[in-house]
Each structure stands twice: as structure tokens, then as C-alpha cells.
């Protein structure tokens, strides 16, 4: 019915009440669940892969659960990475345990997350976040949620790792939606649900030096990529030369936008990794689970991340 044709006040009031009721129970635009994006009929049918023989899409409406299952089944997963290096006198596949999952986030979802990151970056500039910083020189802006983490021993003697007595902001709701998807879609195991993250915001020329992630964080952990594709470099002998260039890299892996790189096994603990200078603006979010004995003293687990389980299907592994 066209609202403009409603002339009876009681009908108008009833409609207004319904709208207000929906607004009260819904989340604001920035905190909408990823699965709650409404798709038009054509997009629903394209995602389902169902097309009528005459070229028109079938007039069938799929539930949110069906759409999610179809999209999860279409995620491409690569796990057969190989790069042999001599480590402690033995030839080792330094990429064992590495996984790349693509088409995890569509363009609309990526944009929603990027917009949220820019909003958080602005809050950080205003001093409204507890742990947001921009390092001097080549580097990247970073915002930490869930725990405060030292990348290296600080000038005041605090060691690298989780700082248990310092507070940070909790995970934003939208980031918890990403975590839920990663577990439900068989990207991360339910035994290692992330409880913290760091947002990295790169400008052109920014980078991350070679490192192995601190053992205060469990394995696996993962990095989600946004805005532009860049390469991540792996090597057991990666190092920074006096010129600032990286040497010793043995394997360069492109990270497509919307993809998730999972680091585990040798890929997390034997191979160092780095992000060379990026050619254009990039955003990444690295999700990790803290070792319980290393958690901040004030930390309380997120109740809505408890008991997550993957969808009941067997993912397809792509040999690319």
C-alpha cells in the first residue's frame, strides 16, 4: 500500500509505531551483522546459482541461512603451499600450515568494514580510543582491540608481548561478526576463536618488517585484507638490510582484497613474514586468540563469541 494514500490517522500512527519498534530492536548502521544485508531477488538468485532455462532468474526466495551456506560453499581455499628451506640442517617446508581463503567477503561487506575502520581511525586521532598510534617513519597506523600489545621491548623496559596491566577498547561489534563468519565458514577452527585484533592502516610506502608473531597468541591466527592487493613475503632468514630493503625472502604471496590468510604450523613459527612497501593504500585486520595465561588482568571473554561452531558441510580445497 502507498503510504501517501493513507489518510486515516490510526493507520498512520500504527505504521509509525511499527517503524519505531523496528528501529529500537535493530542495530545502528555501523553495527549491522554481515549476514543482515538485504539482497534483491536477482542477487539472491545469482548467489544460489539457479537460473531458468529461458535466461531469466527463477522467482524463488532463499532464506538467509541458505544464502550463507551457498556463499560459504563457494569460498576458494588453498592449503598446498610449499617452499623448502634448510632449517637447523634439515630441509623444511616453511609454509606448512599456511592457508589462503578467498571470496570470504563481498564488495558491499568490505566497504562496510572499511567505513568502520575510517570511523575508528578518526576516533583515534581525537584521543577517543585507548590504543591507537601512528609510528614515525615507514610503518603503518594501528589500532588494538582486546589487548594491549608491545611489538618490541619499550624504552621503559616493558617486554614485547601482551601488557597485562593496560586496558584497551573491546572488539567492535562488526569485528565480532567477522569472527563469527570465519568460524562458521571453516576458515578458523572453533577451538581457536579470536578474542583480540589489530587494525593496520597503510598509506603508500608503508610496510611491516620481518617478524614471527609473539607466542602470547595461539595458533592459528589470520589476516583479512581490504582496499588493495599486496604481497606478503615469507622466509626463515628474512632480515632488514642497512638500505632498509628486505633480504632472505623465499616466497611472495599476493593477498587479494576480501581474502583471509591463516597462519599456522611452520607458516606461523618457522617462517618470518613481512609486508614490503605497499604501492597504494591498504587496510588489514589481524585476528588472534590470546594464551589464557597471558590475558590482561581486566579481560572478560566476549559471551557472544562463546560456543561458535562451523556450518555442517565439508569445504572444498582448491588446488591452484
Amino acid at each position: 500500500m502507498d503510504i501517501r494514500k493513507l489518510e486515516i490517522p490510526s493507520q498512520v500512527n500504527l505504521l509509525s509505531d511499527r517503524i519505531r519498534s523496528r528501529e529500537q530492536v535493530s542495530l545502528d548502521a555501523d553495527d549491522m551483522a554481515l549476514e543482515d544485508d538485504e539482497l534483491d531477488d536477482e542477487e539472491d538468485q545469482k548467489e544460489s546459482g539457479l537460473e531458468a532455462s529461458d535466461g531469466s532468474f527463477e522467482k524463488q526466495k532463499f532464506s538467509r541461512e541458505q544464502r550463507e551456506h551457498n556463499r560459504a560453499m563457494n569460498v576458494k581455499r588453498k592449503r598446498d603451499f610449499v617452499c623448502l628451506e634448510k632449517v637447523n640442517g634439515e630441509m623444511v617446508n616453511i609454509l606448512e600450515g599456511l592457508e589462503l581463503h578467498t571470496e570470504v567477503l563481498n564488495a558491499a561487506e568490505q566497504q562496510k568494514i572499511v567505513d568502520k575502520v575510517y570511523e575508528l581511525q578518526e576516533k583515534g586521532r581525537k584521543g577517543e580510543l585507548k590504543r591507537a598510534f601512528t609510528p614515525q617513519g615507514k610503518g603503518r597506523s594501528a589500532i588494538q582491540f582486546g589487548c594491549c600489545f608491545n611489538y618490541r621491548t619499550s624504552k621503559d623496559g616493558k617486554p614485547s608481548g601482551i601488557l597485562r596491566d593496560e586496558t584497551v577498547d573491546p572488539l567492535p561489534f562488526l569485528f565480532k561478526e567477522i569472527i563469527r563468519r570465519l568460524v562458521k565458514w571453516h576458515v578458523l577452527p572453533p577451538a581457536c576463536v579470536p578474542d583480540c585484533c589489530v587494525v593496520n592502516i597503510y598509506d603508500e610506502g608503508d610496510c611491516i618488517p620481518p617478524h614471527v608473531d609473539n607466542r602470547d597468541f595461539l595458533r592459528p591466527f589470520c589476516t583479512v585484507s581490504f582496499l588493495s592487493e599486496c604481497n606478503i613475503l615469507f622466509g626463515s632468514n628474512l632480515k632488514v638490510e642497512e638500505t632498509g630493503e628486505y633480504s632472505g625472502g623465499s616466497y611472495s604471496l599476493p593477498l587479494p582484497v576480501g581474502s583471509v590468510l591463516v597462519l599456522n604450523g611452520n607458516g606461523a613459527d618457522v617462517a618470518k613474514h613481512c609486508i614490503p612497501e605497499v604501492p597504494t593504500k591498504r587496510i588489514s585486520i589481524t585476528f588472534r586468540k590470546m594464551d589464557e595465561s597471558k590475558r590482561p588482568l581486566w579481560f572478560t571473554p566476549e559471551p557472544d563469541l562463546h560456543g561458535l561452531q562451523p556450518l555442517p558441510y565439508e569445504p572444498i580445497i582448491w588446488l591452484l
Side-chain angles (χ1 to χ4, degrees):
M1 180 182 294
D2 191 337
I3 295 177
R4 292 172 296 182
K5 295 181 180 179
L6 291 173
E7 298 178 354
I8 302 174
S10 61
Q11 291 177 304
V12 175
N13 292 338
L14 178 60
L15 181 61
S16 298
D17 290 342
R18 287 178 178 174
I19 293 173
R20 282 195 296 269
S21 176
R22 290 189 62 184
E23 290 175 343
Q24 288 172 351
V25 299
S26 66
L27 300 167
D28 63 49
D30 294 319
D31 287 344
M32 287 174 62
L34 293 174
E35 292 86 357
D36 286 344
D37 284 338
E38 292 190 359
L39 305 175
D40 61 28
D41 287 346
E42 181 172 307
E43 287 178 339
D44 285 347
Q45 292 148 4
K46 284 181 179 179
E47 286 187 353
S48 70
L50 297 176
E51 188 172 355
S53 58
D54 61 357
S56 63
F57 292 102
E58 293 181 358
K59 302 297 183 181
Q60 181 178 356
K61 183 71 175 179
F62 291 92
S63 69
R64 183 188 307 166
E65 289 76 16
Q66 289 170 319
R67 292 202 306 268
E68 181 181 18
H69 182 272
N70 291 340
R71 285 193 56 196
M73 287 291 291
N74 287 326
V75 171
K76 294 181 173 60
R77 311 167 196 269
K78 178 175 171 60
R79 297 176 179 170
D80 59 341
F81 294 97
V82 177
C83 179
L84 299 177
E85 286 191 2
K86 185 170 286 189
V87 179
N88 297 325
E90 296 183 3
M91 295 302 293
V92 174
N93 177 14
I94 64 168
L95 302 183
E96 177 273 325
L98 206 67
E99 301 179 9
L100 183 64
H101 303 250
T102 56
E103 300 185 25
V104 177
L105 297 164
N106 64 29
E109 293 163 347
Q110 292 175 43
Q111 187 59 56
K112 182 186 296 184
I113 296 164
V114 168
D115 290 344
K116 183 65 176 178
V117 168
Y118 285 147
E119 176 193 319
L120 293 168
Q121 185 181 35
E122 184 60 26
K123 286 184 176 180
R125 289 181 179 136
K126 295 178 179 178
E128 297 175 2
L129 295 178
K130 296 176 182 176
R131 190 67 172 177
F133 64 91
T134 302
Q136 296 180 348
K138 292 181 181 180
R140 77 282 180 207
S141 300
I143 311 171
Q144 297 181 353
F145 295 99
C147 73
C148 182
F149 173 73
N150 247 3
Y151 293 93
R152 60 186 65 84
T153 301
S154 60
K155 294 180 180 179
D156 58 2
K158 292 182 178 180
S160 62
I162 296 172
L163 302 178
R164 303 190 67 201
D165 57 347
E166 294 203 24
T167 60
V168 298
D169 296 282
L171 287 165
F173 182 88
L174 187 59
F175 291 5
K176 289 192 288 183
E177 284 298 308
I178 302 173
I179 292 171
R180 277 190 276 271
R181 172 169 293 187
L182 297 180
V183 176
K184 290 178 69 178
W185 289 20
H186 296 256
V187 177
L188 289 176
C192 200
V193 177
D195 52 18
C196 63
C197 76
V198 58
V199 180
N200 291 311
I201 306 166
Y202 301 77
D203 288 320
E204 180 180 345
D206 286 349
C207 60
I208 291 182
H211 66 283
V212 170
D213 281 53
N214 195 286
R215 294 297 309 197
D216 284 0
F217 302 103
L218 303 184
R219 274 55 171 160
F221 55 93
C222 71
T223 293
V224 191
S225 297
F226 302 93
L227 285 184
S228 65
E229 181 174 303
C230 79
N231 290 342
I232 183 170
L233 190 61
F234 290 91
S236 60
N237 297 305
L238 264 175
K239 59 183 179 180
V240 183
E241 301 290 350
E242 293 182 359
T243 59
E245 299 296 320
Y246 300 149
S247 66
S250 301
Y251 194 95
S252 183
L253 174 64
L255 299 177
V257 294
S259 69
V260 182
L261 178 68
V262 177
L263 294 95
N264 200 7
N266 291 345
D269 296 325
V270 174
K272 297 179 181 178
H273 59 273
C274 69
I275 299 291
E277 294 184 15
V278 297
T280 186
K281 196 168 184 68
R282 174 180 187 258
I283 290 173
S284 69
I285 306 177
T286 298
F287 292 98
R288 304 183 181 97
K289 180 178 178 63
M290 294 178 274
D291 183 323
E292 289 189 15
S293 66
K294 302 293 184 178
R295 286 173 172 172
L297 301 175
W298 51 266
F299 180 81
T300 300
E302 300 278 358
D304 51 349
L305 293 180
H306 177 71
L308 297 181
Q309 292 297 322
L311 294 173
Y313 72 91
E314 190 66 28
I316 299 172
I317 308 304
W318 294 71
L319 300 178
L320 303 177

